[in-house]
Amino acid sequence: MTQTTESIELGPDSILGRLAADPRIGFTGFSAGVLQLMHPAVSAGVLDHSAFFSDPFDRIYRSIPRIVNSIVAPDSRERAAKVREYHRDIKGTDAHGNRYHALDPDVYWWTHMTFVWAFLSAADRFHPHPPTGAERERYYAESLEWWSRYGLSMRPAQPDLASFEADFDRVCREDLEWTKAARLSMKVQKIEVAGMSPQMNRLLSIPGAPLVRLVLTGGLPELVRERFDIEWSRLDRLSYDALALSVRTGGRFVSDDAATAYGRRLMNKLERTTTLVKE
């Protein structure tokens, strides 16, 4: 189906912009990454064209700021085009012998879907005041405008949030696979905080790596955990729920403006200190 969108302004004050810049996206970001890697074409692209598994946090710190700034920065349209062009040469053959290209609209749309899902899920689970009603529909309309800026076909896009959520579940149920890249990404042994020394990161990894594994697994859709038999105990569920409650409670003492302003500063700092291959 051909999809068109009205002209919608994004930027830092849009609902999408505020959710994307909110630091709480970190609680679902790892889960979104694993969902991307469960797509056979994305898995192959990462294995063939990326050093993700030798230095995963470096790739995260390089990629996420540029993706967020393709929504909130004053030159967001130009930034979205740069993100698209970075993927132009990512192509090859997947584990099934099928040809893939990162800019295949269906493949690229799936990665886009995971970000749209992750931003909203982070708000629903960890924000004291998640968007409701018309705000959610506005959020999805803004996500379609964001997609249109990549200059790819609108054919894969769903017309409204309910259709999007139904199709997201369908892909999780029918199209995703327990790929090599997904299996490797679940084995978090250490964390790396940008700006921290190697010694400090080793210390932080003692409590940090188990916490990342908890939020990564807990953030996945339940049907994905069940479909691929990903271990998730009752204690894990209670721990995850307690963490979400504590973050929501603490969030009541921090204004949304302060949280998103901090998030934008962090994204800009990371973008200044990291470099993509083609920049």
Side-chain angles (χ1 to χ4, degrees):
M1 179 181 68
T2 301
Q3 180 80 28
T4 59
T5 62
E6 61 177 304
S7 178
I8 294 176
E9 289 300 318
L10 299 183
D13 294 325
S14 64
I15 298 174
L16 173 62
R18 294 182 72 83
L19 295 192
D22 193 301
R24 281 163 284 218
I25 65 172
F27 289 109
T28 54
F30 290 103
S31 306
V34 171
L35 288 171
Q36 291 178 15
L37 295 174
M38 287 180 175
H39 190 291
V42 179
S43 175
V46 169
L47 291 171
D48 293 346
H49 298 274
S50 171
F52 177 74
F53 295 105
S54 61
D55 197 354
F57 284 89
D58 179 67
R59 183 176 184 271
I60 291 168
Y61 292 140
R62 284 186 289 113
S63 301
I64 297 302
R66 289 161 174 83
I67 291 169
V68 171
N69 277 326
S70 72
I71 301 168
V72 303
D75 57 343
S76 57
R77 292 181 182 275
E78 292 80 5
R79 287 171 180 262
K82 287 182 179 180
V83 170
R84 179 198 65 219
E85 288 306 300
Y86 178 71
H87 294 83
R88 187 164 295 282
D89 296 329
I90 300 177
K91 55 187 175 180
T93 305
D94 69 19
H96 301 292
N98 299 317
R99 300 290 297 174
Y100 72 84
H101 194 296
L103 293 184
D104 178 330
D106 291 311
V107 175
Y108 209 87
W109 173 251
W110 171 244
T111 64
H112 183 76
M113 288 183 87
T114 65
F115 285 116
V116 175
W117 167 84
F119 297 159
L120 191 57
S121 292
D124 287 342
R125 301 178 190 188
F126 295 96
H127 198 292
H129 305 293
T132 59
E135 292 177 325
R136 300 175 78 84
E137 290 300 334
R138 177 70 183 186
Y139 167 81
Y140 184 67
E142 290 170 353
S143 79
L144 290 179
E145 168 62 24
W146 180 28
W147 169 256
S148 74
R149 293 182 177 189
Y150 291 125
L152 301 178
S153 171
M154 296 299 292
R155 176 186 51 77
Q158 290 77 38
D160 53 52
L161 182 59
S163 301
F164 170 89
E165 292 173 334
D167 198 48
F168 185 88
D169 286 350
R170 180 197 62 77
V171 175
C172 289
R173 186 172 54 251
E174 299 177 4
D175 297 344
L176 300 188
E177 301 176 3
W178 192 227
T179 63
K180 177 181 179 181
R183 293 195 303 272
L184 291 172
S185 68
M186 295 290 292
K187 300 177 180 179
V188 181
Q189 301 298 327
K190 63 178 182 178
I191 64 170
E192 294 180 13
V193 178
M196 291 286 188
S197 68
Q199 296 83 356
M200 183 60 70
N201 275 321
R202 282 196 292 271
L203 288 174
L204 289 173
S205 292
I206 296 173
L211 179 61
V212 169
R213 289 195 296 269
L214 177 72
V215 298
L216 188 163
T217 307
L220 292 172
E222 184 176 358
L223 72 88
V224 169
R225 288 198 303 268
E226 292 179 349
R227 182 181 171 203
F228 297 110
D229 197 25
I230 299 172
E231 184 177 354
W232 186 243
S233 68
R234 181 173 181 272
L235 178 60
D236 291 332
R237 165 56 63 188
L238 292 173
S239 299
Y240 184 83
D241 289 346
L243 174 65
L245 177 60
S246 67
V247 173
R248 288 196 303 273
T249 302
R252 298 180 187 277
F253 300 98
V254 180
S255 71
D256 288 353
D257 287 344
T260 55
Y262 170 77
R264 291 195 299 273
R265 289 196 302 271
L266 178 61
M267 293 298 106
N268 290 332
K269 179 180 179 180
L270 289 173
E271 188 171 22
R272 288 194 303 270
T273 56
T274 59
T275 303
L276 290 179
V277 173
K278 296 190 177 182
E279 289 183 333

